[in-house]
Amino acid sequence: MEVDSGSVKLVSKEGEFYSVDIEVARMSELVKGMLEEDCEDEDVTEIPLPNVKAAVLQKVIEFCQHHREDPMTEIEKPLKSAQMAEVVQKWYADFVSVEQVLLFELILAANYMDIKPLLDLTCATVASMIKGKTPEEIRKTFNIANDFSPEEEAQVREENKWCEEP
Protein backbone atom coordinates (compact mmCIF):
# COMPACT_ATOMS: atom_id res chain seq x y z
CA MET A 1 0.00 0.00 0.00
CA GLU A 2 1.40 3.42 -0.91
CA VAL A 3 1.10 5.50 2.25
CA ASP A 4 1.19 9.00 0.77
CA SER A 5 -2.46 10.01 0.70
CA GLY A 6 -5.50 9.44 2.81
CA SER A 7 -5.67 9.33 6.55
CA VAL A 8 -4.48 7.33 9.49
CA LYS A 9 -6.03 6.84 12.92
CA LEU A 10 -3.88 7.84 15.87
CA VAL A 11 -4.93 6.07 19.05
CA SER A 12 -4.40 7.79 22.41
CA LYS A 13 -3.47 6.21 25.73
CA GLU A 14 -7.19 6.06 26.62
CA GLY A 15 -8.03 4.34 23.32
CA GLU A 16 -9.59 7.38 21.63
CA PHE A 17 -9.20 7.50 17.84
CA TYR A 18 -8.22 10.61 15.86
CA SER A 19 -8.37 10.48 12.09
CA VAL A 20 -5.48 12.53 10.71
CA ASP A 21 -4.23 13.27 7.21
CA ILE A 22 -1.20 11.07 6.59
CA GLU A 23 1.01 14.02 5.62
CA VAL A 24 0.16 15.69 8.94
CA ALA A 25 0.80 12.47 10.89
CA ARG A 26 4.18 12.05 9.16
CA MET A 27 5.49 15.12 11.01
CA SER A 28 6.03 12.58 13.78
CA GLU A 29 9.15 10.56 13.00
CA LEU A 30 7.69 7.77 15.19
CA VAL A 31 4.47 7.61 13.15
CA LYS A 32 6.39 8.01 9.87
CA GLY A 33 8.59 5.04 10.82
CA MET A 34 5.58 2.92 11.78
CA LEU A 35 3.88 3.73 8.47
CA GLU A 36 7.00 2.85 6.48
CA GLU A 37 7.57 -0.40 8.41
CA ASP A 38 4.01 -1.52 7.80
CA CYS A 39 3.61 -0.26 4.24
CA GLU A 40 3.29 -3.86 2.93
CA ASP A 41 0.39 -4.36 5.31
CA GLU A 42 -2.78 -3.24 3.55
CA ASP A 43 -4.54 -2.43 6.83
CA VAL A 44 -2.20 0.18 8.28
CA THR A 45 -4.84 2.53 9.58
CA GLU A 46 -4.26 2.63 13.33
CA ILE A 47 -1.15 3.84 15.10
CA PRO A 48 -1.22 3.25 18.87
CA LEU A 49 0.37 6.00 20.97
CA PRO A 50 0.20 4.51 24.49
CA ASN A 51 2.30 7.29 26.04
CA VAL A 52 0.09 10.16 24.84
CA LYS A 53 -3.13 11.19 26.59
CA ALA A 54 -6.13 12.11 24.42
CA ALA A 55 -6.17 15.81 25.41
CA VAL A 56 -2.45 16.10 24.65
CA LEU A 57 -2.77 14.21 21.36
CA GLN A 58 -5.48 16.66 20.27
CA LYS A 59 -3.06 19.56 20.88
CA VAL A 60 -0.25 17.72 19.06
CA ILE A 61 -2.52 17.18 16.05
CA GLU A 62 -3.61 20.84 16.14
CA PHE A 63 0.06 21.88 16.11
CA CYS A 64 0.96 19.56 13.22
CA GLN A 65 -2.03 20.68 11.12
CA HIS A 66 -1.19 24.34 11.63
CA HIS A 67 2.53 23.77 11.05
CA ARG A 68 1.75 22.13 7.70
CA GLU A 69 -0.18 25.23 6.55
CA ASP A 70 2.03 27.89 8.19
CA PRO A 71 5.45 26.54 9.22
CA MET A 72 6.96 28.02 12.36
CA THR A 73 9.96 30.29 11.98
CA GLU A 74 13.14 28.74 13.34
CA ILE A 75 13.76 29.59 16.99
CA GLU A 76 17.00 31.51 17.50
CA LYS A 77 19.29 30.17 20.21
CA PRO A 78 19.96 31.63 22.66
CA LEU A 79 16.46 33.06 22.99
CA LYS A 80 16.36 36.73 22.10
CA SER A 81 13.41 37.39 24.42
CA ALA A 82 11.49 35.90 27.33
CA GLN A 83 8.31 36.76 25.40
CA MET A 84 7.45 33.91 23.03
CA ALA A 85 5.49 36.32 20.77
CA GLU A 86 8.85 37.97 19.98
CA VAL A 87 10.44 34.60 19.19
CA VAL A 88 7.78 32.89 17.00
CA GLN A 89 4.59 33.82 15.16
CA LYS A 90 1.57 34.78 17.28
CA TRP A 91 -0.33 31.51 16.68
CA TYR A 92 2.60 29.48 18.03
CA ALA A 93 3.09 31.80 21.02
CA ASP A 94 -0.63 31.47 21.83
CA PHE A 95 -0.47 27.69 21.33
CA VAL A 96 2.07 27.29 24.16
CA SER A 97 0.33 29.75 26.45
CA VAL A 98 -1.11 26.87 28.49
CA GLU A 99 -1.02 25.48 32.02
CA GLN A 100 2.43 24.21 33.04
CA VAL A 101 1.18 20.63 33.39
CA LEU A 102 -0.05 20.60 29.78
CA LEU A 103 3.15 22.27 28.57
CA PHE A 104 5.26 19.52 30.15
CA GLU A 105 2.93 16.82 28.76
CA LEU A 106 3.38 18.40 25.31
CA ILE A 107 7.16 18.22 25.76
CA LEU A 108 6.92 14.52 26.65
CA ALA A 109 4.58 13.83 23.70
CA ALA A 110 6.77 15.77 21.25
CA ASN A 111 9.82 13.86 22.46
CA TYR A 112 8.07 10.46 22.34
CA MET A 113 6.52 11.10 18.93
CA ASP A 114 9.74 12.75 17.70
CA ILE A 115 8.24 15.99 16.40
CA LYS A 116 11.21 18.36 16.37
CA PRO A 117 9.39 21.68 15.73
CA LEU A 118 6.97 21.01 18.60
CA LEU A 119 9.79 19.93 20.91
CA ASP A 120 11.76 23.07 20.00
CA LEU A 121 8.73 25.29 20.65
CA THR A 122 7.77 23.75 23.99
CA CYS A 123 11.35 23.63 25.30
CA ALA A 124 11.92 27.23 24.19
CA THR A 125 8.79 28.16 26.13
CA VAL A 126 10.22 26.61 29.30
CA ALA A 127 13.53 28.37 28.62
CA SER A 128 11.64 31.67 28.30
CA MET A 129 10.06 31.01 31.70
CA ILE A 130 13.56 30.72 33.19
CA LYS A 131 15.29 33.50 31.22
CA GLY A 132 16.46 36.36 33.43
CA LYS A 133 15.18 34.86 36.70
CA THR A 134 17.00 34.21 39.94
CA PRO A 135 17.18 30.66 41.30
CA GLU A 136 14.52 31.60 43.86
CA GLU A 137 12.17 32.88 41.14
CA ILE A 138 12.74 29.72 39.10
CA ARG A 139 11.95 27.55 42.13
CA LYS A 140 8.74 29.50 42.68
CA THR A 141 7.74 29.31 38.99
CA PHE A 142 8.17 25.55 38.83
CA ASN A 143 7.25 24.79 42.45
CA ILE A 144 10.67 23.29 43.23
CA ALA A 145 11.66 22.79 46.86
CA ASN A 146 15.06 24.16 47.89
CA ASP A 147 16.88 21.10 49.25
CA PHE A 148 20.11 22.98 50.03
CA SER A 149 20.96 24.03 53.56
CA PRO A 150 21.89 27.74 53.80
CA GLU A 151 25.55 26.70 54.08
CA GLU A 152 25.39 24.46 51.00
CA GLU A 153 23.63 27.18 49.01
CA ALA A 154 26.27 29.75 50.01
CA GLN A 155 29.02 27.34 48.93
CA VAL A 156 27.39 26.69 45.53
CA ARG A 157 26.89 30.43 44.98
CA GLU A 158 30.54 31.08 45.84
CA GLU A 159 31.77 28.33 43.49
CA ASN A 160 29.58 29.63 40.66
CA LYS A 161 29.92 33.38 41.24
CA TRP A 162 31.32 33.74 37.72
CA CYS A 163 27.89 32.75 36.28
CA GLU A 164 26.20 35.79 37.74
CA GLU A 165 28.71 38.35 36.52
CA PRO A 166 27.40 40.51 33.64
Side-chain angles (χ1 to χ4, degrees):
M1 174 176 152
E2 187 59 33
V3 211
D4 282 329
S5 60
S7 64
V8 64
K9 287 187 177 103
L10 302 181
V11 186
S12 72
K13 180 179 188 170
E14 298 87 346
E16 291 186 33
F17 291 81
Y18 298 91
S19 186
V20 179
D21 182 87
I22 283 184
E23 285 308 305
V24 171
R26 287 170 146 283
M27 274 192 68
S28 163
E29 292 296 325
L30 175 74
V31 171
K32 184 178 174 184
M34 289 173 144
L35 289 170
E36 288 169 0
E37 280 177 19
D38 296 338
C39 67
E40 319 74 61
D41 183 355
E42 293 296 314
D43 298 323
V44 183
T45 54
E46 294 179 10
I47 305 279
L49 299 167
N51 295 357
V52 186
K53 294 178 185 172
V56 177
L57 184 53
Q58 287 176 331
K59 289 286 284 181
V60 169
I61 293 167
E62 179 186 356
F63 174 88
C64 292
Q65 288 171 332
H66 187 83
H67 191 278
R68 183 173 177 212
E69 301 302 317
D70 179 23
M72 183 176 72
T73 55
E74 191 163 332
I75 297 171
E76 290 180 39
K77 297 169 192 92
L79 286 181
K80 61 183 178 186
S81 170
Q83 302 301 314
M84 287 306 292
E86 296 175 18
V87 178
V88 292
Q89 298 102 307
K90 183 181 181 333
W91 187 93
Y92 292 100
D94 292 344
F95 179 82
V96 288
S97 181
V98 294
E99 296 282 324
Q100 246 183 55
V101 172
L102 179 55
L103 180 62
F104 287 115
E105 286 178 343
L106 282 168
I107 289 172
L108 293 173
N111 187 48
Y112 170 68
M113 294 177 70
D114 197 359
I115 304 172
K116 188 178 181 333
L118 180 56
L119 188 59
D120 287 349
L121 176 64
T122 51
C123 288
T125 302
V126 172
S128 75
M129 295 164 79
I130 293 170
K131 189 173 179 67
K133 292 190 174 171
T134 66
E136 292 76 22
E137 291 169 327
I138 294 168
R139 281 191 204 103
K140 187 175 180 197
T141 299
F142 297 106
N143 199 22
I144 301 170
N146 184 357
D147 55 356
F148 284 122
S149 69
E151 296 79 23
E152 290 171 324
E153 190 167 342
Q155 180 184 351
V156 169
R157 284 185 189 277
E158 184 59 37
E159 290 171 358
N160 296 289
K161 196 187 295 185
W162 61 271
C163 292
E164 297 177 19
E165 293 171 359

